[in-house]
Amino acid sequence: MIIRQLKHTQYENFCLSLNKKAHAQPLEAFFTVNMRVDGWEYAIRLQPERHNKIAVLQALQIDRQDDRPNFGLITDGKLLSAFLDILLFQGFRS
């Protein structure tokens, strides 16, 4: 898990994007954002925290090449931080 503190306006804009473009299951505290990087599909799980912080909990790498999808769990801090950087840089444009 990676936790990053954002500036107040950046945090507010990020949370608005989460509410509009991410999805959350009932009674879950995290949002799931789907993204593609270098032809790979990922599901990133993010959780807004108090004091303008965002937690990146984990990511799933999804391989849909076969008849049924294969999933790989990603918990490495460097990769999770990179996914958050991409989402912040893109501002959820896609």
Side-chain angles (χ1 to χ4, degrees):
M1 173 172 41
I2 294 295
I3 298 176
R4 175 129 5 122
Q5 185 163 359
L6 306 176
K7 294 179 182 177
H8 180 70
T9 53
Q10 188 180 25
Y11 175 83
E12 292 293 323
N13 290 335
F14 193 79
C15 288
L16 284 173
S17 292
L18 281 176
N19 285 319
K20 289 180 183 178
K21 299 180 182 180
H23 59 277
Q25 298 296 322
L27 303 176
E28 287 184 346
F30 62 86
F31 291 87
T32 302
V33 177
N34 294 315
M35 63 188 293
R36 292 189 73 80
V37 177
D38 270 348
W40 289 95
E41 183 180 349
Y42 296 94
I44 316 301
R45 293 197 174 137
L46 304 147
Q47 181 172 312
E49 299 284 338
R50 296 179 358 175
H51 306 295
N52 302 326
K53 294 181 181 179
I54 296 289
V56 185
L57 306 174
Q58 64 186 32
L60 291 174
Q61 184 179 40
I62 305 166
D63 181 5
R64 297 186 189 274
Q65 301 298 323
D66 297 327
D67 293 339
R68 58 186 175 152
N70 293 312
F71 300 94
L73 181 63
I74 299 171
T75 57
D76 179 78
K78 291 179 184 178
L79 289 174
L80 297 178
S81 182
F83 286 131
L84 180 58
D85 287 340
I86 291 169
L87 291 172
L88 289 170
F89 179 75
Q90 289 182 344
F92 282 105
R93 285 182 298 213
S94 55

